Amino acid sequence: MTVVTRIRREVLNLPAAELGPDNPLPPLRPLDETHRADARDRDDLPADMARRIGHEPLRSLLPVRIRDGYGRTREPRALDALVIENDRLRATVLPGLGGRVASLVHLSTGRELLHRNPVFQPANLALNGAWFAGGIEWNIGATGHTTLSCAPLHAALVPAPDGGEMLRLWEWERLRDLPFQVDLWLPDGSDFLYAGVRVRNPHEHPTPLYWWSNTAVPEDHRVVVPAARAWEFGPERRLRRVPVPPHDVQQPYATDHFYDLAEGGRRWIAALDAAGHGLVQVSTDALRGRKLFAWGTGPGGRRWQEWLGGAGTGGYREIQAGLARTQLEHVPLDAEGEVSWLEAYGPLSVAPQASSEAVEERLAHLLPRTALDAAYAAWQPCADTAPGALLATGSGWGALEVLRTDLKLPGTPFPESTLGEEQAPWRELLRTGTLPEPRRVRPPGPTLVAPHWRDMLETAPATPHTEYHLGVAQWHAGDRAQAVRSWERALRLAPSRWPPLRCLAVADQESGHHERAAERYADAFDDLCRERRDDGEAWTAAAAALGREALEALLRAGRPTDARAVWEALPPATRERGRFRLLEAELLLAEGRRAAARAVFADGFEVADLREGDDAVGRLWARLGDGPLPRRYDFRMRPPTP
């Protein structure tokens, strides 16, 4: 057989916002995750579900940094893409943005099978901030969108099971310290894009695992799934079992439906238009869960859809597939174990309003269960094949872990050549037992917090820089008293006082000492302003991040005069950002200047990093008057509270 599948480089030109720099402040506060079930529901859940919901939920983003440096200004930009194409399908993959499959086109009909976002607009929906809508995304780590949503993955060509080529994507997921891979290929003449996924646990202890493959489809498509009941998780954050609602019955607010698929049944979900055409996703049995997410019909849901894609671009829903029945669960991955499965995505056409039984019958004709199982069996030996030509490079964190442990990970190499500036001091700590002091004055780099790195920090020479990083690692481990002592030791000798001062301020806030936290924040921001060397990206990001936290702390402590001093010291470009316009309105209100605060709203602003579920804009508006919240500011995800 002549294999005609092709993989090539391409450039995807889109109106796109810049990602900007990461937030340089370590994320010390508890994770703000909206997808957590009410504890009152545990007794009514199946035992295995209740156990997995309570199984090591993520409590910290460390060692990952928050990505909040993006804005809302979109300009034409070129995004690197990799295209996989045979005579039936064309898939466009973005290796620099989490390996997202941005488009899947059925060539004979010209139909786009996914919701293809016409813009690249980051928004604050990933666990660590920046995320964008559209396509097929690969979520690993913990409940929520992966921290790799807008990060580069390693990518290379690998021989496919049929003798052609497949595209391998791989990275080291840092929240759980797990290497993973996604192998994408189109067999010659196939109507289905295959995705072979493998996650490995290289550690000598079990690790919690989370995986959901999320596919955006047009909002008007009917979702068909082989289930009559579902676990519904709505704005009240209660998990309850309900009949699957009809397609024409939609919730006013964003709602998840986790379908209750029968044991032993085939795992699939489809999204079909009014004529019966659309996409089907099917997998081997390990990927057991299926879900529908919809933004809802209310004004907040409509506003979020516009926010993510622009007015007039059409709404979307997400059909999803995961390792557990719900996204509130984490499953254990055995020590030195692995889990793998095969997914398939392709076109499906049935009669309009066809039943789930008719859809499954059609799927069985297009891709029999035995054929998918055989494809999975054929792929498994290929998962260890060494990659060939490198097409994209991810981070150096996996290389650092391989260097530390001498791990052998066939199929997913993490060579030393990928180590970069962020890994350099930790490589030195590994080599010499000493964490080097920075060679120039600048915001500190990221902290590694896993037990083995914390142990090395504890035995390293106790320089101020080491004490700062040790405190972050101790805080992550839950040893807050020791963390405070480490930061206090760093503060006594540190040439840069603001990093440990800021950490101590967070510790004060978490223990309820808001006045002392405000004082430390003010001192930290003053110290940063004195130390700041230039208007480069790193210093601008540090000033914005610390300035925001200082303003919020000072306003909370009832110190508008000191908050005004911080505001005036911020760079003018930072003050123009939407987040800071919102803070300006709050500051004006605290100063008793209600009319001026309302004028900020009248002038208009956009909080680029507004968090999903955050109603800060609506709460401030309510304090300014009793009029209805203007539509442009209405991102409400749940009914207003009395």
Side-chain angles (χ1 to χ4, degrees), residues 234-502:
E236 71 284 356
R237 301 185 186 180
R238 304 296 301 273
L239 192 61
R240 60 196 184 100
R241 197 162 179 258
V242 301
V244 171
H247 167 65
D248 55 358
V249 175
Q250 297 189 45
Q251 306 288 340
Y253 295 95
T255 304
D256 300 325
H257 283 99
F258 301 101
Y259 295 109
D260 200 0
L261 274 61
E263 292 296 331
R266 199 169 186 195
R267 307 288 166 174
W268 61 270
I269 189 168
L272 308 173
D273 64 18
H277 306 301
L279 171 82
V280 64
Q281 187 271 359
V282 61
S283 73
T284 50
D285 291 347
L287 203 64
R288 65 178 299 189
R290 293 297 185 274
K291 172 194 164 184
L292 167 66
F293 167 78
W295 280 106
T297 58
R302 306 316 311 166
R303 188 71 182 100
W304 270 109
Q305 298 248 34
E306 294 173 358
W307 188 252
L308 294 166
T313 58
Y316 74 94
R317 312 163 97 185
E318 287 184 358
I319 56 174
Q320 307 179 6
L323 286 173
R325 276 182 288 185
T326 75
Q327 287 177 332
L328 286 65
E329 303 168 68
H330 297 85
V331 301
L333 183 56
D334 291 340
E336 300 179 347
E338 67 176 57
V339 62
S340 64
W341 63 90
L342 183 66
E343 304 179 44
Y345 298 81
L348 184 141
S349 294
V350 292
Q353 303 303 312
S355 67
S356 64
E357 292 80 7
V359 173
E360 182 153 3
E361 183 178 342
R362 180 61 180 160
L363 173 61
H365 173 75
L366 295 172
L367 185 60
R369 187 170 190 164
T370 53
L372 187 66
D373 290 343
Y376 173 56
W379 166 73
Q380 284 182 294
C382 301
D384 281 347
T385 303
L390 193 65
L391 300 175
T393 303
S395 77
W397 296 113
L400 186 66
E401 291 301 320
V402 168
L403 190 64
R404 182 185 67 82
T405 59
D406 196 29
L407 281 172
K408 307 302 181 189
L409 296 169
T412 55
F414 295 96
E416 284 192 51
S417 59
T418 60
L419 292 168
E421 183 180 1
E422 288 189 330
Q423 293 83 40
W426 302 96
R427 184 183 189 183
E428 185 69 11
L429 174 64
L430 188 62
R431 189 177 67 85
T432 67
T434 298
L435 190 70
E437 291 291 301
R439 295 181 179 178
R440 57 188 174 90
V441 177
R442 59 181 176 180
T447 304
L448 296 183
V449 297
H452 40 268
W453 292 107
R454 187 173 72 248
D455 290 345
M456 280 186 268
L457 289 170
E458 287 175 346
T459 58
T463 65
H465 188 58
T466 300
E467 294 284 8
Y468 162 78
H469 285 292
L470 175 58
V472 175
Q474 290 166 331
W475 182 271
H476 173 73
D479 195 347
R480 295 190 170 188
Q482 281 287 16
V484 167
R485 283 192 282 272
S486 294
W487 291 326
E488 288 174 341
R489 288 193 297 269
L491 190 59
R492 286 195 290 269
L493 298 173
S496 293
R497 290 171 50 82
W498 66 266
L501 267 175
R502 180 264 175 178

